[in-house]
Amino acid sequence: MPYAALTPPEAARWAHRAGLVLPADRHAAVAATADHIHSVVAVLRELDFGDTPPAPAYRATAAKETHDAAV
Amino acid sequence: MQPYELTLAAAAAAIGARRLSPVELTDSVLERIEQVEPQLRAYVTVHAEGARRAARHAENEIAAGRHRGPLHGIPMGLKDLIDVAGAATSASSRVRSGHRAQTDSTVAARLSAAGAVLLGKTHTHEFAYGLTTPQTHNAWDPGRVAGGSSGGSAVSVAAGAATFALGTDTGGSIRVPAALNGVVGLKPTYGLVPRHGVTSLSWSLDHVGPIARTAEDAALVLAALAGHDPRDPASLTAPPAHYRPGPDTDLTGLRIGVPRTYYFDHVDPEVAAAVRSAIDRLQALGARLVDVEIPMTRYVQATQWGLMVPEATAYHESSLRTVPELYRADVRILLEAGELMPAGDYLRAQRSRTLMRQEWARLLREVDLIAAPSVPMTAVPAGQETVTWADGTVEGVSDAYVRLSAPANITGLPSLSVPVGHDTAGLPIGMQLLGPPLGESLLLRVGHASEQTRPTGHLAALAAPC
């Protein structure tokens, strides 16, 4: 899907919604960097995740955990 | 040979046999630091008096018959993301001005309990968010990058300015500088070494591990670091393992996967040739080489960024709002842009990680380990921002250095970088060995076998004794 680049005012507004007030002289650079990051991560939208859950962030049963490595 | 030139294993043996005192060794390394620091800048701070005091204490204990083990009396450096009680953890950043750690990190406490002597804190790319460590210079050519983010740790070990050091690795930050400076770097299995008291870059990708001159040295350090700590939520409860490789270099029956894809794409021909020669030498030791297909390579960078960018921004949320001007420009812009990443992108990266872990687990049922280049090219000149490959593709230097490291960070698999030669400019080349979860003993055994096929453990040529 084509993606329209963020404009500097949009970057400022998005950052503000996230609680970060950007000085005016940062708007254009942040927009460009955010666009670049978006172009990298957007490729993940190609994947068919089905029922795949996110990798776990924590284990409720950590005390009982045994030899459980990352894979 | 001067004491600072000794490997950890050799120094430990000499100390154990009372042929070398911890004070002699520490004094020698401190003198070496004075000699090379003006051109290398590996350290943020050097605690010479504290190191001499700790060395005298170690010497007295050993003289009294209380030898704690192979790290007792061995001088080392800690990446300056690692808390030591009473000392600043600067993260090589002005943001941390005035910082003072209240308590030891788990790894600092464990090294202290093992009797290691803290020399000082080594430079990192600011908050570990970068691959070059611009404050520090490559030990083989000061005009080239140290690599990062554990650049100070790798350079200090390569130059004889520390007998070993610790680094952290979120996207290659132990293995990249280890490869670029001709030393050994181990990123352990996710959760094997506790991160309590270590400044985070990205919680789900961060690892702590040793940088040393040989695989055997790395094994001795890992043995002191590994073990459960409930204060790190990812910490594993795996039982203690024996990591030190034995003298036998026979690899008969071992299945070594050689990637058909990804790990040899967009790699400097001299790097590829050196790594393939090293793999051939492993075959000559009895290993069986198996062509393998690396899974989901198209999604490696997207997954790494999808995890790291929002996690790093979250860690810095407060200081990015209060003192943004204190960050270096390259770090500040990434932290700011990270505020704009939707949660959906982060969740896709976490789900991609689930798939990638499954695929790598399948791959590692076909082979025992995988051998590949650690980084696509040797150390670039400081200030170089891009690399142009033979097909005309232009890639950012940092992107290139992360590219071959990221799969092990995403999956949590252990990965060891060992030096395997030099390019025609004399710059070190590293080979990466990737194995199954908790496969450190195997990787260290193969790394040690690789070292026996060629001279290793030498100090950087530039920093050689004069």
Side-chain angles (χ1 to χ4, degrees):
Chain A
M1 190 169 65
Y3 164 73
L6 272 184
T7 64
E10 284 172 336
R13 187 162 153 269
W14 283 30
H16 191 259
R17 280 179 67 96
L20 178 68
V21 179
L22 290 174
D25 63 357
R26 312 255 339 137
H27 296 181
V30 171
T33 304
D35 271 336
H36 179 60
I37 293 170
H38 176 84
S39 72
V40 170
V41 301
V43 70
L44 294 175
R45 297 175 192 199
E46 298 169 4
L47 289 168
D48 179 4
F49 290 112
D51 291 334
T52 304
Y58 71 95
R59 296 172 180 83
T61 58
K64 291 182 181 175
E65 178 192 346
T66 53
H67 313 167
D68 182 12
V71 172
Chain B
M1 178 177 267
Q2 298 299 310
Y4 72 81
E5 298 176 75
L6 294 170
T7 64
L8 193 171
I15 288 172
R18 314 284 173 89
R19 285 184 278 108
L20 176 69
S21 87
V23 172
E24 288 172 328
L25 175 61
T26 300
D27 280 342
S28 174
V29 176
L30 285 169
E31 285 170 21
R32 183 66 174 162
I33 291 173
E34 278 189 28
Q35 184 187 359
V36 299
E37 263 297 281
Q39 63 180 135
L40 298 182
R41 304 283 178 201
Y43 282 90
V44 179
T45 49
V46 177
H47 309 292
E49 278 318 301
R52 289 195 174 95
R53 211 167 32 245
R56 281 195 298 273
H57 183 64
E59 185 168 282
N60 292 338
E61 282 193 322
I62 292 167
R66 295 192 298 274
H67 189 211
R68 302 190 196 191
L71 302 192
H72 203 174
I74 303 292
M76 55 85 187
L78 295 177
K79 184 178 185 177
D80 207 8
L81 295 175
I82 298 172
D83 283 353
V84 173
T89 308
S90 78
S92 294
S93 177
R94 293 188 299 154
V95 173
R96 282 285 180 86
S97 176
H99 179 271
R100 198 64 60 196
Q102 297 300 309
T103 57
D104 277 345
S105 56
T106 302
V107 289
R110 287 181 179 176
L111 291 179
S112 176
V117 172
L118 176 64
L119 294 162
K121 309 292 282 296
T122 57
H123 265 302
T124 169
H125 200 113
E126 186 178 33
F127 282 106
Y129 212 174
L131 272 297
T132 56
T133 320
Q135 314 89 325
T136 302
H137 304 276
N138 190 284
W140 295 75
D141 180 347
R144 292 178 183 265
V145 295
S149 61
S150 310
S153 289
V155 168
S156 65
V157 173
T163 305
F164 74 91
L166 295 194
T168 66
D169 191 316
T170 303
S173 287
I174 286 173
R175 292 160 288 160
V176 171
L180 299 188
N181 289 283
V183 293
V184 171
L186 173 65
K187 184 203 80 66
T189 304
Y190 185 66
L192 180 62
V193 175
R195 303 165 302 175
H196 173 71
V198 180
T199 299
S200 177
L201 171 58
S202 173
W203 297 283
S204 75
L205 296 164
D206 291 339
H207 303 68
V208 183
I211 295 176
R213 254 174 250 149
T214 66
E216 182 180 28
D217 287 4
L220 294 172
V221 181
L222 180 64
L225 301 179
H228 183 62
D229 182 342
R231 294 172 297 181
D232 178 349
S235 180
L236 301 173
T237 55
H242 181 77
Y243 298 114
R244 190 171 192 170
D248 186 9
T249 59
D250 183 8
L251 301 181
T252 300
L254 200 67
R255 300 167 302 169
I256 297 183
V258 183
R260 269 193 301 268
T261 50
Y262 193 68
Y263 281 99
F264 287 96
D265 301 338
H266 286 164
V267 168
D268 180 88
E270 287 193 82
V271 171
V275 172
R276 288 195 188 280
S277 294
I279 293 171
D280 289 344
R281 293 196 293 273
L282 297 179
Q283 185 181 31
L285 294 174
R288 182 158 66 86
L289 305 186
V290 181
D291 279 356
V292 294
E293 191 88 21
I294 301 299
M296 295 183 66
T297 57
R298 177 169 166 78
Y299 305 102
V300 169
Q301 188 186 29
T303 305
Q304 175 79 16
W305 283 38
L307 298 170
M308 181 182 66
V309 169
E311 290 185 11
T313 290
Y315 183 89
H316 290 273
E317 179 175 344
S318 174
S319 44
L320 190 60
R321 283 152 179 73
T322 53
V323 287
E325 70 283 359
L326 296 185
Y327 288 95
R328 283 172 173 262
D330 62 328
V331 171
R332 179 180 177 181
I333 192 72
L334 286 172
L335 295 175
E336 289 171 332
E339 297 274 359
L340 277 56
M341 182 182 281
D345 284 333
Y346 180 65
L347 282 165
R348 269 187 288 276
Q350 286 286 15
R351 298 177 84 189
S352 171
R353 161 184 267 163
T354 300
L355 296 176
M356 218 173 276
R357 288 169 59 198
Q358 291 167 354
E359 289 299 310
W360 274 82
R362 181 193 52 70
L363 175 60
L364 285 165
R365 286 193 289 272
E366 296 172 13
V367 293
D368 298 301
L369 73 157
I370 290 164
S374 300
V375 287
M377 69 275 192
T378 54
V380 299
Q384 180 177 325
E385 293 189 351
T386 60
V387 56
T388 303
W389 298 107
D391 63 1
T393 304
V394 177
E395 185 176 25
V397 163
S398 291
D399 289 345
Y401 283 145
V402 171
R403 173 157 44 90
L404 307 185
S405 292
N409 295 88
I410 294 167
T411 58
L413 297 171
S415 174
L416 176 73
S417 179
V418 293
V420 293
H422 298 84
D423 66 9
T424 45
L427 298 168
I429 293 170
M431 174 173 72
Q432 182 179 198
L433 303 172
L434 300 108
L438 302 177
E440 282 80 2
S441 296
L442 172 65
L443 300 186
L444 290 161
R445 179 165 75 89
V446 176
H448 177 71
S450 172
E451 289 167 354
Q452 305 315 302
T453 67
R454 57 176 295 280
T456 190
H458 299 305
L459 298 181
L462 182 84
C466 20

